[in-house]
Amino acid sequence: MNLDYVKKDFLKDIGEASSLPTLYEVKAKYVGRKGVITAAFKEFKNLSPEERRERGRLLNELKEWIEWKIKEREREILEAEALRRELEGFVDFTLPGRRVKIGSLHPLNRVLREIIEIFSNMGFSLEEGPEIELDYYNFEALNIPKDHPARDMHDTFYITDNALLRTHTSPVQIRAMKKRKPPLRVISAGKVYRRDSDPTHSPMFHQVEGLLVDEDVKLADLKGVLSEFANRIFGGKRKIRFRPSYFPFTEPSVEVDVECVKCGGKDESCVVCKGTGWLEILGAGMVHPEVFKAVGYDSGKYVGFAFGLGVERITMLKYGIDDIRLFFENDLRFLQQF
Ligand code: DAH
C-alpha cells in the first residue's frame, strides 16, 4: 500500500466532509477498526524485522497525523454550527418592515358603487330582488307572455318551468311597485344571467335598473336623468346617442349608445363594437300600461320611466377594457391596475 496515495485520498475526503456524520464516516474509513490503516498494518506479516520497524514508524506517524487532522476538522465544524445557530435567532432591527397586503375593490364593484351614488344623489333609493326569479316577475308581469318573441333575446337559464336565473334586473321593478305606492323612485343593482359568451358578453353580468313613477312624468325627464348620468359617469367626455327601440315593458322605448372606446368608430372589423362604432349601454323607456296593470297601478293617473344598464359595459368604456372576460379571471396583473 502506497502511503502517499492514502494521504492524498484522505485529504480529499476530509476536505469534502462538512458535517459531523460525514466526518465520522471518513474517520472510520481511515483509522477505524476496519479502516485503511489497520489494513496496512496487516500487510506487515511478510516483511523482515527491519522493514517492519521502518514501516511501523511511518504508519504510526500517518495514523497520528490523520487523527489530529480529524480533531481539527471536528472543531471547525462545531464552531461553524454554533455560529449558524446564533445567527438563526438574530433579528436585524434596521431592516424595513414588510408591507401588509390588503385587498381592494374589484373594478366592477367600484363602478357599481359610483353608479349607485350618482342615482342616490338624484333621489333614487336602492331596492333588492332575488337572483333566482319566478317566470312571472322576469317575464309575464313585464308584458312578456310565454309565446312572446322577446323571450328569445334573453337566452334564459331555466331551473324549472316556473323558476329561472333572472335575465335582467327589471323584475325588481315589479316587486318594488307591488310593495309600494307611487310616487316611486328606485334603483336596483345586481347579477343577471344569460346563455351568452364572447368578448362583450358573459353568462353572468351586472345590471342597474331604474324606475320612476309619478303623476306628470315625461320622456324629457328620462332624457334629462340619463344624460346627466352619462355626464357624471364618463365625465362628459364621450358622445352618447338616443335611438328608438323596442322593449315589451316600455312604450316608447329607447336605447342609449356610447361611442366605441376601442376603435372610436373607425375600425369596421372591431371586435368590441362589431364595426358599428357604438356600444349599447342601456335600454329605457316609458313604463308600459300593461306593466302598471300587472301591479295594480292606475295608468290613467300615473306615468313612469324605467331604464336598465350593464355595469360591465360601463366599466369597459370608462377604463378602455376590450374583453369582458378579464373581469372574471382573477388575474392580479389586471385587477391591480384599478
Ligand atoms: N331589461 C332590459 C334588458 O336587460 C333593459 C331595459 C330596457 C330595462 C328598458 C328597462 C327598460 O328598465 O325600460 O335588456
Side-chain angles (χ1 to χ4, degrees):
M1 190 179 294
N2 185 324
L3 296 188
D4 283 340
Y5 287 165
V6 173
K7 202 165 170 174
K8 242 192 181 148
D9 287 349
F10 169 74
L11 281 174
K12 183 168 168 285
D13 285 348
I14 200 168
E16 286 166 3
S18 56
S19 70
L20 289 181
T22 48
L23 179 68
Y24 294 150
E25 271 172 34
V26 174
K27 187 177 179 182
K29 177 177 171 186
Y30 289 93
V31 294
R33 267 193 306 116
K34 290 177 183 163
V36 175
I37 300 295
T38 314
F41 274 113
K42 283 182 184 151
E43 286 178 359
F44 278 28
K45 278 177 261 163
N46 316 322
L47 298 177
S48 68
E50 265 140 73
E51 280 175 323
R52 216 185 285 180
R53 203 178 313 124
E54 176 59 10
R55 184 83 180 159
R57 193 180 56 79
L58 287 173
L59 264 179
N60 276 324
E61 261 178 35
L62 180 61
K63 193 180 173 193
E64 270 168 37
W65 177 78
I66 285 177
E67 282 169 345
W68 172 73
K69 272 286 188 201
I70 285 172
K71 273 250 148 57
E72 187 184 60
R73 188 90 190 97
E74 190 176 36
R75 208 168 40 240
E76 280 171 13
I77 291 172
L78 284 171
E79 271 170 18
E81 283 187 354
L83 186 66
R84 211 188 55 229
R85 268 197 299 277
E86 208 172 296
L87 287 177
E88 262 170 21
F90 179 75
V91 178
D92 185 350
F93 292 102
T94 67
L95 285 174
R98 286 200 191 124
R99 200 174 275 276
V100 177
K101 287 195 177 171
I102 52 168
S104 61
L105 277 184
H106 190 281
L108 287 177
N109 279 328
R110 242 188 141 88
V111 172
L112 189 61
R113 288 186 187 193
E114 246 178 83
I115 295 170
I116 291 170
E117 164 103 4
I118 290 169
F119 286 114
S120 307
N121 289 341
M122 295 192 218
F124 290 79
S125 61
L126 204 55
E127 194 75 30
E128 274 191 284
E131 286 174 32
I132 295 175
E133 187 54 283
L134 292 172
D135 187 282
Y136 173 78
Y137 291 102
N138 197 84
F139 291 128
E140 208 81 25
L142 287 163
N143 197 27
I144 316 174
K146 281 259 168 353
D147 56 354
H148 199 287
R151 289 207 180 198
D152 295 347
M153 291 168 19
H154 284 246
D155 298 309
T156 313
F157 287 110
Y158 280 93
I159 295 167
T160 67
D161 280 352
N162 235 344
L164 44 81
L165 295 181
R166 65 178 181 190
T167 59
H168 51 178
T169 42
S170 301
V172 187
Q173 287 187 34
I174 305 298
R175 291 178 175 276
M177 284 191 280
K178 286 199 164 191
K179 207 162 77 181
R180 298 158 183 248
K181 297 247 161 305
L184 205 76
R185 224 188 299 185
V186 295
I187 50 167
S188 184
K191 294 182 169 66
V192 300
Y193 303 85
R194 289 184 201 180
R195 300 177 40 154
D196 211 352
S197 189
D198 65 40
T200 55
H201 295 88
S202 158
M204 183 282 295
F205 61 105
H206 299 78
Q207 284 190 338
V208 172
E209 189 82 14
L211 172 70
L212 184 146
V213 182
D214 207 336
E215 298 172 34
D216 194 29
V217 179
K218 298 182 179 65
L219 188 67
D221 299 318
L222 169 65
K223 274 194 170 176
V225 166
L226 292 183
S227 52
E228 182 57 21
F229 165 71
N231 286 342
R232 292 199 196 171
I233 197 80
F234 298 119
K237 268 180 276 177
R238 284 175 211 276
K239 273 191 213 157
I240 61 167
R241 71 174 182 185
F242 287 70
R243 208 161 22 85
S245 186
Y246 170 77
F247 298 103
F249 35 90
T250 46
E251 183 58 38
S253 303
V254 295
E255 261 169 43
V256 180
D257 297 345
V258 173
E259 215 172 21
C260 180
V261 287
K262 175 81 173 178
C263 70
K266 291 178 192 74
D267 181 3
E268 280 184 13
S269 59
C270 177
V271 290
V272 176
C273 66
K274 301 196 175 83
T276 64
W278 295 92
L279 287 169
E280 177 199 333
I281 53 160
L282 65 89
M286 303 303 290
V287 179
H288 198 289
E290 280 298 314
V291 175
F292 279 151
K293 206 165 119 190
V295 297
Y297 280 14
D298 178 0
S299 59
K301 187 175 178 197
Y302 293 109
V303 196
F305 64 69
F307 56 87
L309 59 86
V311 180
E312 280 77 0
R313 292 276 180 116
I314 305 263
T315 309
M316 288 165 84
L317 296 173
K318 247 180 106 77
Y319 295 115
I321 298 160
D322 63 6
D323 194 325
I324 197 170
R325 292 166 294 199
L326 288 165
F327 290 126
F328 310 115
E329 283 169 358
N330 293 329
D331 187 334
L332 287 180
R333 290 170 303 178
F334 170 73
L335 296 174
Q336 281 170 344
Q337 295 178 60
F338 300 93

